[in-house]
Amino acid sequence: MSPREQTAPPRPLRKDAARNREALIVAARTVFAQRGFAATLDDVAHEAGLGVGTAYRHFANKHELATAVAQQSVDRLIDQLQKLNAMEDPWQAIVGFFEYAVEMQRQDRGVRETLTGTYVADEFQSQLNAVLELLEQLVRRAEDAGVVRADITATDIGILLMMICSIGEFAEDAHPDLLRRYLTMTLEGLKPGGAPLPALPLENQQLFATITKHKNQTR
């Protein structure tokens, strides 16, 4: 095989194949939102009105499709963080982040499983780094304005969000206001004052290791 053949770009999908792939991703968003990532590739194909053979021609397995859908959710979170960092009021930007993330997971079980670490893939690491960088900007702005305590970091925000979202599944029906209760507690705890925090925050890699460990324990 010539070097030119080795480096040739992949052939684009035919129009009907591209439509089927997009239909599967749209259907997957609906299915995973309702059932989480325990749903099967057969479930997604049925929702899309396609045969399961078609689904397997586009995605090797459910994990590949679920990863594509979860990455889109994290991309939406990144877009929102960029908008929040442009807000004039740094405290409202912090509040807006928590409210947006909590609402995302309330509406979408797949997002909840992503945010709580129940489902996370190695492919997310670059996106999670981007999230933490934007969160760090959000926190630094709030600290500079004196509206949050000075010892809070982006990884603290990540852990707090995981804690709040972990309430989501059992709170949804029986205690619909419980998320709001603990969100309020969390936001009040971020304000200046109070006792010094007794331990150092996690570094980014420690946070990723904690999420991965949690995922493995919940399989």
Side-chain angles (χ1 to χ4, degrees):
M1 180 179 291
S2 70
R4 180 173 185 149
E5 289 173 321
Q6 290 176 340
T7 59
R11 299 166 80 181
L13 291 173
R14 295 191 325 245
K15 287 185 179 180
D16 58 338
R19 281 196 299 270
N20 287 342
R21 181 181 174 84
E22 181 59 25
L24 287 164
I25 291 175
V26 170
R29 283 200 295 265
T30 299
V31 171
F32 293 142
Q34 295 171 349
R35 309 184 207 176
F37 293 119
T40 67
L41 200 54
D42 293 39
D43 296 329
V44 174
H46 179 76
E47 175 71 21
L50 298 170
V52 70
T54 300
Y56 279 105
R57 279 196 293 274
H58 290 280
F59 299 97
N61 50 50
K62 180 189 73 173
H63 170 80
E64 188 176 299
L65 177 56
T67 297
V69 172
Q71 284 176 326
Q72 288 183 346
S73 298
V74 180
D75 280 341
R76 294 203 308 273
L77 187 61
I78 289 171
D79 289 343
Q80 184 65 17
L81 273 165
Q82 290 170 335
K83 293 174 184 176
L84 291 168
N85 269 311
M87 285 182 63
E88 185 175 346
D89 187 329
W91 172 250
Q92 286 305 315
I94 292 281
V95 173
F97 168 73
F98 275 99
E99 289 182 339
Y100 180 83
V102 167
E103 185 62 18
M104 273 184 77
Q105 69 83 36
R106 190 189 68 78
Q107 295 180 2
D108 190 326
R109 185 171 174 178
V111 170
R112 180 188 308 150
E113 292 178 4
T114 302
L115 294 180
T116 58
T118 306
Y119 182 90
V120 67
D122 293 339
E123 294 92 332
F124 292 173
Q125 183 145 339
S126 63
Q127 288 176 297
L128 292 176
N129 277 323
V131 168
L132 287 173
E133 287 176 11
L134 290 165
L135 268 179
E136 194 64 36
Q137 293 177 33
L138 209 67
V139 171
R140 292 284 82 80
R141 289 180 62 228
E143 288 180 352
D144 291 345
V147 294
V148 301
R149 53 188 302 155
D151 48 3
I152 294 296
T153 69
T155 57
D156 291 324
I157 301 296
I159 291 289
L160 290 171
L161 182 61
M162 287 176 65
M163 292 165 59
I164 294 171
C165 290
S166 68
I167 301 167
E169 188 161 7
F170 72 83
E172 229 169 49
D173 298 322
H175 306 283
D177 295 326
L178 206 56
L179 278 175
R180 177 63 56 180
R181 175 183 177 86
Y182 290 109
L183 176 57
T184 300
M185 282 187 189
T186 299
L187 291 171
E188 288 299 310
L190 292 177
K191 291 180 178 178
L197 297 176
L200 293 174
L202 296 178
E203 299 292 337
N204 286 9
Q205 289 303 319
Q206 291 175 307
L207 177 61
F208 296 148
T210 300
I211 293 172
T212 300
K213 181 179 179 181
H214 175 70
K215 175 196 70 173
N216 292 335
Q217 289 174 340
T218 53
R219 278 178 170 172

